[in-house]
Amino acid sequence: TMSVLAIQRGQLMIFYPRTEWFSRPGVAIVVMRITCKCQGQIKHAATYWRAELATPDEDADLHPDSVVTVVGRRGLVLLVSPS
């Protein structure tokens, strides 16, 4: 998970992106392999996105051309589950 560092009033601050869960999940195609330890890439709504598993402990290995469900996002990274 990516964090943002900033200096505010002379103090180093770390900001973690908020997780947003979608009320209407979408469908995407895996472009670059996604594993529980590694982000990958998907194509969703005609745009390429970085993606990671929504449940990191899930023992999934999503290969290119697999169909996945987009269930949320954390910052600019979409959260996916196997379909």
Side-chain angles (χ1 to χ4, degrees):
T1 304
M2 191 171 141
S3 58
V4 177
L5 299 176
I7 297 178
Q8 186 176 22
R9 296 190 187 114
Q11 293 184 350
L12 181 63
M13 308 290 285
I14 300 175
F15 298 96
Y16 295 97
R18 181 175 65 91
T19 300
E20 175 187 350
W21 299 104
F22 299 156
S23 58
R24 292 182 4 201
V27 175
I29 302 294
V30 175
V31 175
M32 290 176 56
R33 184 176 171 212
I34 303 169
T35 68
C36 61
K37 297 181 182 183
C38 220
Q39 285 185 354
Q41 187 178 50
I42 61 172
K43 187 173 183 182
H44 173 63
T47 305
Y48 292 91
W49 294 85
R50 283 192 339 219
E52 64 185 38
L53 289 170
T55 330
D57 58 336
E58 191 171 359
D59 190 27
D61 193 0
L62 305 174
H63 294 278
D65 297 323
S66 300
V67 177
V68 293
T69 303
V70 181
V71 295
R73 76 178 177 91
R74 185 176 299 121
L76 295 176
V77 178
L78 295 183
L79 305 174
V80 299
S81 292
S83 290

